[in-house]
Amino acid sequence: MSSSNILSIITFVYGLAGVLYIFAWIFKKPGCGKLATWVAMIGVIGNTAGILLRWVESYRLGIGHAPFSNLYESLVFFAWTIALIYLFIERRFGNRIIGAFTTPIACLAMAYASLKPGITSDIQPLLPALKSNWLIAHVITCFIGYAAFAIAFGISAMYLMKQAQDDEKVIWLDFVRPITLFVFITLFSRILLVGNWALSAMTALPICLVFYAGVFIVRRMPANIKNSLLEMFPEPRVLDELGYQMVLFGFLFLSVGIITGAVWANSAWGRYWGWDPKETWSLITWFVYATVLHARMMRDWRGQRLAYLSMVGFAAVLFTYFGVNLLPGLHSYGALGQ
Amino acid sequence: MSSSEVASDLSPLNRLWKAFASVKLTIVLLLTLAATSIIGTLIPQNETPVAYVQAFGEFWYRLFALLGVFDMYSSWWFRSLILLLTANIVVCSIDRLQFTWKIIFARHPKFNIARFRRFKRKEEFKAERAPDRLKNIYPSIVARRFGYHRVEDTDEGFAVYGESGRWTRLGVYIVHFSVVLLLIGGLIGSIFGFDGFVNIPEGETVRTIQLRNNPKNLQLDFEIRCDDFNVTFYDTGAPKEFRSSLTILKQGKPVYQKDIIVNDPLQYEGIRFFQSSYGNLPPNEVMLNFTSKATGMIYNQKAAVDKQIVIPENLGTFALKQFTRAADFRGQNIGEAFIGVLTPPNGSPVDVTLPLRFPRFDRMRKGDVVIAIADYLPRYYTGLQVSRDPGVWVVYTGFILMIIGIYITFFMSHKQVCVEVTADGKKSRIKVSGTANKNKLGMENKVSNLSEKLAETESSAKGEAKN
Ligand code: HEM
């Protein structure tokens, strides 16, 4: 069996784990949750095996290199990191509901890698510019950072569900909320499905409306159903803290990622920073999360405001990762020279 | 000015200082930088004016050019934002450092028992022994877990204070300092460094570098020669390696030689040469064969541009005139070719096209002699990126400090504990409480661990008493 076959199967394993976590949450079946943990662990093991096998295969093809060199490989590693960090959190905090919000992200990343036309799962030889240990360090650290931010995103979403109404009234949130939602869905549909921006914005609109209709219905739901769904969630305080810890972790790795990328660029082209769109977007992401840190440390932002800010950060992550390729007139990633 | 000072009757200078010490400003600046940086990723930078006018039209081109949008990361307003952020970091750090410094370098750290008594979370247990017996045991246990410890007597017993990681409060300043270093390093690079490129044909020597974003050229103090260039390919046709053999010459004498590949540059006198691109050059020399129509004989001859060749059998003379990258044949591009002139013994000269890719092309002319390029040695030029950046070590120092600083700030903390022992008849009551400036959850665990450890000495003491 080849590594890409194994990895396609792992997509379904993560999907199954996600479904089981959601089942365990909605129907309150702890057995289901335990099973989900096992399935997620099998997913991680298979994912690890797939990555290692791919490494071996590349040597068999005579173009041996570490499997962190193209979009497919980075997505696979991204999924692996998300699942691993999640399992670690589950062990530490003993709450499985977070799994319902994070394993689907891992599944989505893998599915995107396997299904999106144009992303090849072939093992490709390395272009000269990519032959650098700095590049390997760069990809690994960036993706650990992105994975932490993805989990922070999932936790922020949980926070917003649990704490639908903040104690304090924050006026700007009323504007930011629909805009964030709209931007996110546009971004997602542009990246995942649709061919151009206008069309993705148009598809995003009805999805937003459906979402708001859903929120409306949930608000009208009898309190006992609502509470029974949310009672198993960790306390808002814990979610808030955990999300923040993930942002800290992600910020460290994003910083190391940007730095190793700069060192790589310096060894390949003689300049550590060139304001090319990929670099610039990673810096934008870094600025947003630096804002999150300062807002929380010094101005004591918590709760919804911070949850939204960290979601904006994740939108920047997505854009750095996928969106940059959609921008007009760019130098392709990793091309030789300019 | 410490931030705790009352904000009344401030002088304008103080007010400015206060404004720059504000984290509100930081948040505004960081978000503004994030938002404006997007512009330069949507509008391609540093293209030609013609391309911009075509894309945006005259009006928008003028407006954008006025705002420096086409080179926005070096525009005055973007630089001002970065300068403001720098001022913000420096002022804010100095402002707070005065306060933090006093905490960190206090000779005798102050412990305030009332503060520890106020903590809600405490571990408590009772001991069989009297406080003065515990006084011999507890301090060493606290000392083992916290670097610093001190014992103080209280009214009804004693208290052991322990503390560790006081210095980790400096972590944030390391991070902020590293950001400033990055900016200083970048500034040094842009003032004292340069960035350029040069193409060197194989076998040739140059000393002039074309600067990027600058019409001027740069004369080096030495010469650089490309001895050889090689490109290898994978089976898929993708390039595998570009390799240039370079020699540095001083006053015509070779002083340094190195083969460079991508990611492994040559450095000489602070100037670095990076493998960046390559291209084909017309071959210096080709092997031609002439096929006589009359006899069918084939004659091989070496040829170079403008060298007259006399074709045997009195078929005339031939000379290569020029090389073209894209020869045209009935509106079709037939690739690289030499154009030559054939002068028959009696008749006017005719132009002959000799494409490198199609050796039999000249048959179509239906002349008395068919000329073909039988063989040639490909010749390349190597494209080198040339740069000098004396600021890079400042930047790298900043990188290292930033990683260390972030690690310290996020994952280490200043921890303090207090073990208070009070007499309870002949026995003792012990209260353990602690605090940390970060990761309070982790500190709670540490406190309960310590308390367990202290309580354990009870059972071993009992064991000793029995024996
Ligand atoms: C891009 C620039 C900056 C970066 C990367 C940065 C980074 C950091 C980091 C990592 C922390 C620690 C946060 C935590 O422990 O959760 C921090 C804290 C802090 N930052 Fe910044 N910062 C930047 C700019 C600024 C600026 C411009 C100011 C100016 C007001 C500032 C003021 C502070 C303050 C007051 C703290 C808290 C310090 C303390 O705990 O006493 N930062 N910063």
Side-chain angles (χ1 to χ4, degrees), chain A residues 195-257:
Chain A
N196 74 51
W197 286 109
L199 212 60
S200 5
M202 255 147 63
T203 44
L205 218 51
I207 298 177
C208 283
L209 291 179
V210 169
F211 182 87
Y212 269 103
V215 170
F216 186 77
I217 292 168
V218 170
R219 290 251 163 96
R220 297 289 125 121
M221 261 189 331
N224 56 347
I225 298 182
K226 228 176 6 184
N227 288 342
S228 85
L229 279 181
L230 294 180
E231 74 185 351
M232 305 274 284
F233 273 35
E235 285 297 299
R237 192 179 56 88
V238 175
L239 286 173
D240 180 61
E241 181 63 29
L242 196 58
Y244 182 62
Q245 291 292 333
M246 280 293 120
V247 169
L248 290 188
F249 188 70
F251 191 78
L252 173 65
F253 277 93
L254 179 65
S255 306
V256 178

Side-chain angles (χ1 to χ4, degrees), chain A residues 244 248 251 286-287 290 293-294 297-298, chain B residues 20-23 26 30 85 88-89 92 96 172-173 175-176 179 402 406 409-410 438:
Chain A
Y244 182 62
L248 290 188
F251 191 78
W286 193 73
F287 282 148
L293 298 181
H294 288 90
M297 279 282 294
M298 301 311 298
Chain B
F20 273 107
S22 124
V23 181
T26 315
L30 286 174
L85 185 73
N88 191 192
I89 295 180
C92 175
R96 299 178 61 88
V172 218
Y173 302 98
V175 179
H176 290 161
V179 174
M402 177 174 284
I406 290 180
T409 357
F410 287 176
K438 255 167 284 170

